[in-house]
C-alpha cells in the first residue's frame, strides 16, 4: 500500500516557478500600485512621500487626462471594435470564396503587417501619411487635393494605422471560426429558400457569437495598450489631439519625471480595460 506524500512535498516542484512569478510578476505590480500613492519623481527628489489619493484627484481634475480618456475610447472603438473586427471578418469571409493563390497572397500581406514590430510599423505609416508621403502622392495622381494628415487628422491617421497593423488577428480568428460551421447547415437553409443576408443573420452570427466576443475582448485590450505606433507617428500631437492614455502616461512619468502620477494614470488605464472586459464577459454569458 503506497503512502500518500505530505501536501508540502506534492507542491515542492512548483515552488521555484511560484517564487519566480511572485518576484518578477506580482512584485512589480505591487510596487507600481504603491508608487501610485506617492509623489515619486525621477529627478530632483531626495525622498518620496505618501500622498494617498492626491494623484487620482489630480488626474480627474486634469483636462489633459480627461482628453486622453476620450481619445483612448474613440481610438479603441474606431480602430479595434469597428475597424479591425469588421475588416477582419470581411477578409475571412471573402477568402473562403477566393482561389488558393488569392488566399495565400492576401493572407501573407495581411499577416506581414501584423508581425512587424510596432515601432517599425509606426515609421512605415508615418511615411505613408506624411504630407510628402505615399498617400498624398497617390491623391495628386488622382488630381485630388493632398492633406497634411498627421496635422489635420492625427487621430484618424493613427486609427487607420492600427487597423492596418492589427486586422490579421481578427482575420485568423474568424477564418478558423467560419471553417468550424458545418456546411450542411448552410445547405439546408439554402434549400429552405433563405437568402444570403438571412443566412448570415440567423446562422453565421449566432454560431460565431463566442468567437466575436473573444476577439473583441482581446483586440480591445491590445489596442488600449498601443503606444509605439502612436508615439512614432505623432507623439500624441499636435496639441494632444492624438494623445491616448499610454502616451499621456509616458509623457507624465518619463518626460515630466512624475513617476507617481504616471503610475496612477497606468492604474486608471487598467480600470478602463477592466470595464471593457467585464462588459464583454457579461455579454458572452448572456448569449451563452
Amino acid at each position: 500500500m503506497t503512502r500518500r506524500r505530505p501536501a508540502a512535498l506534492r507542491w515542492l516542484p512548483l515552488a521555484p516557478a511560484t517564487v519566480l512569478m511572485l518576484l518578477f510578476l506580482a512584485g512589480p505590480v505591487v510596487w507600481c500600485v504603491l508608487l501610485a500613492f506617492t509623489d515619486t519623481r525621477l529627478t530632483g527628489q531626495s525622498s518620496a512621500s505618501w500622498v494617498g489619493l492626491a494623484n487620482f484627484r489630480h488626474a480627474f481634475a486634469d483636462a489633459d487626462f480627461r482628453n486622453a480618456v476620450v481619445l483612448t475610447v474613440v481610438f479603441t472603438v474606431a480602430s479595434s471594435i469597428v475597424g479591425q473586427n469588421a475588416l477582419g471578418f470581411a477578409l475571412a469571409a471573402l477568402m473562403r470564396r477566393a482561389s488558393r493563390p488569392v488566399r495565400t497572397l492576401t493572407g501573407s500581406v495581411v499577416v506581414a503587417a501584423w508581425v512587424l514590430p510596432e515601432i517599425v510599423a509606426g515609421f512605415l505609416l508615418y511615411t505613408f501619411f506624411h504630407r510628402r508621403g505615399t498617400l498624398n502622392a497617390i491623391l495628386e495622381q488622382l488630381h485630388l487635393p493632398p492633406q497634411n494628415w498627421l496635422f489635420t487628422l492625427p487621430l484618424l491617421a493613427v486609427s487607420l494605422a492600427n487597423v492596418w497593423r492589427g486586422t490579421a488577428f481578427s482575420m485568423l480568428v474568424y477564418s478558423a471560426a467560419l471553417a468550424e460551421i458545418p456546411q450542411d447547415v448552410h445547405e439546408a437553409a439554402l434549400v429552405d429558400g433563405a437568402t444570403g443576408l438571412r443566412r448570415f443573420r440567423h446562422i453565421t452570427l449566432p454560431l460565431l457569437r463566442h468567437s466575436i466576443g473573444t476577439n473583441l475582448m482581446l483586440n480591445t485590450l491590445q489596442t488600449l495598450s498601443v503606444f509605439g505606433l502612436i508615439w512614432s507617428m505623432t507623439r500624441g500631437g499636435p496639441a494632444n489631439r492624438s494623445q491616448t492614455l499610454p502616451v499621456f502616461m509616458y509623457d507624465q512619468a518619463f518626460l515630466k519625471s512624475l513617476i507617481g502620477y504616471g503610475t496612477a494614470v497606468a492604474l486608471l488605464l487598467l480600470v478602463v480595460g477592466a470595464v471593457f472586459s467585464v462588459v464583454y464577459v457579461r455579454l458572452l454569458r448572456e448569449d451563452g
Side-chain angles (χ1 to χ4, degrees):
M1 181 176 179
T2 59
R3 296 174 58 187
R4 294 187 62 186
R5 291 184 299 172
L9 292 179
R10 292 201 302 271
W11 286 99
L12 187 61
L14 297 176
T18 303
V19 171
L20 289 175
M21 288 188 64
L22 291 175
L23 184 62
F24 294 105
L25 183 62
V29 171
V30 173
W31 178 245
C32 287
V33 171
L34 293 176
L35 282 179
F37 295 92
T38 68
D39 61 353
T40 305
R41 298 177 62 94
L42 277 179
T43 58
Q45 185 184 46
S46 58
S47 62
S49 58
W50 186 266
V51 296
L53 298 174
N55 287 325
F56 297 94
R57 289 195 294 267
H58 180 202
F60 289 113
D62 189 349
D64 290 335
F65 171 78
R66 295 196 299 270
N67 173 71
V69 172
V70 173
L71 292 180
T72 300
V73 173
V74 173
F75 174 69
T76 302
V77 172
S79 67
S80 176
I81 298 177
V82 176
Q84 293 179 8
N85 188 61
L87 183 58
F89 186 90
L91 286 173
L94 292 173
M95 286 175 62
R96 285 179 58 83
R97 300 175 178 271
S99 61
R100 187 178 184 85
V102 173
R103 290 200 305 269
T104 302
L105 178 61
T106 304
S108 300
V109 171
V110 176
V111 172
W114 184 41
V115 299
L116 281 176
E118 191 177 55
I119 193 69
V120 175
F123 279 118
L124 284 176
L125 272 300
Y126 173 81
T127 60
F128 181 78
F129 286 107
H130 193 267
R131 61 188 179 89
R132 295 181 181 177
T134 308
L135 179 57
N136 279 340
I138 295 173
L139 293 177
E140 289 176 354
Q141 292 296 322
L142 298 175
H143 303 289
L144 297 174
Q147 298 285 335
N148 191 352
W149 301 97
L150 298 176
F151 182 81
T152 58
L153 297 168
L155 189 62
L156 176 62
V158 296
S159 297
L160 292 175
N162 192 51
V163 171
W164 173 80
R165 182 176 182 270
T167 295
F169 181 80
S170 296
M171 182 190 73
L172 294 175
V173 169
Y174 289 135
S175 294
L178 288 171
E180 293 297 321
I181 298 178
Q183 189 61 33
D184 55 355
V185 175
H186 284 287
E187 293 175 353
L190 186 62
V191 171
D192 291 339
T195 62
L197 183 60
R198 293 186 64 184
R199 292 199 304 273
F200 174 77
R201 180 179 177 183
H202 297 288
I203 296 176
T204 305
L205 282 182
L207 292 176
L208 293 183
R209 65 181 183 273
H210 291 290
S211 296
I212 293 173
T214 302
N215 179 66
L216 282 173
M217 181 167 62
L218 295 176
N219 269 340
T220 299
L221 296 178
Q222 188 277 328
T223 300
L224 284 173
S225 64
V226 169
F227 168 78
L229 190 71
I230 299 175
W231 185 257
S232 58
M233 291 181 65
T234 66
R235 293 184 178 248
N240 297 338
R241 286 190 289 142
S242 61
Q243 189 180 64
T244 58
L245 278 175
V247 179
F248 178 77
M249 175 184 61
Y250 177 84
D251 176 71
Q252 298 297 317
F254 297 105
L255 298 185
K256 297 180 180 177
S257 299
L258 303 175
I259 290 293
Y261 182 48
T263 307
V265 173
L267 291 182
L268 293 174
L269 176 61
L270 184 64
V271 171
V272 174
V275 170
F276 276 105
S277 299
V278 169
V279 171
Y280 289 138
V281 169
R282 288 181 65 88
L283 289 176
L284 285 174
R285 188 178 300 170
E286 290 174 3
D287 287 340

